[in-house]
Amino acid sequence: MSSYKELLSQIEMLRQQAESQRKAEIANVVADIRAKMQEYGINLSDLGFAARGSRSKGTRVAAKYRNPSTGDTWTGRGKMPKWLQREVSAGKRREDFLIGG
């Protein structure tokens, strides 16, 4: 009968073999997919995947407010900047700093 340590060693060896086999099978599948895509002229957009870089994340928004003394701007989104908080606390209106307004 095998000891506990021997069984743990066998388990670890089988895990390593399974992972190695998994990687080999994935490599074969990927190679097969690439070959078929090339053979049939299929690209990622044909499969429903968006092209890289097409996400709208990070799009710029035009500034809505400007500090006339420093030129600092704010889009009106997110947390109000400290310069505008100070001005509003001093009694000025937020609208006084609208660009073009």
Side-chain angles (χ1 to χ4, degrees), residues 34-93:
R34 285 184 176 159
K36 288 184 179 179
M37 287 177 72
Q38 187 173 14
E39 179 182 349
Y40 292 98
I42 297 171
N43 59 41
L44 291 177
S45 63
D46 294 331
L47 300 175
F49 294 101
R52 290 184 181 178
S54 66
R55 293 182 181 160
S56 62
K57 182 179 180 181
T59 56
R60 295 216 176 252
V61 177
K64 190 172 178 181
Y65 301 93
R66 174 173 285 121
N67 183 343
S69 60
T70 64
D72 291 340
T73 60
W74 180 47
T75 62
R77 294 185 178 182
K79 188 175 179 181
M80 186 186 301
K82 290 181 181 179
W83 65 265
L84 188 54
Q85 286 176 350
R86 283 191 301 268
E87 297 291 345
V88 170
S89 296
K92 293 189 179 178
R93 298 178 320 138

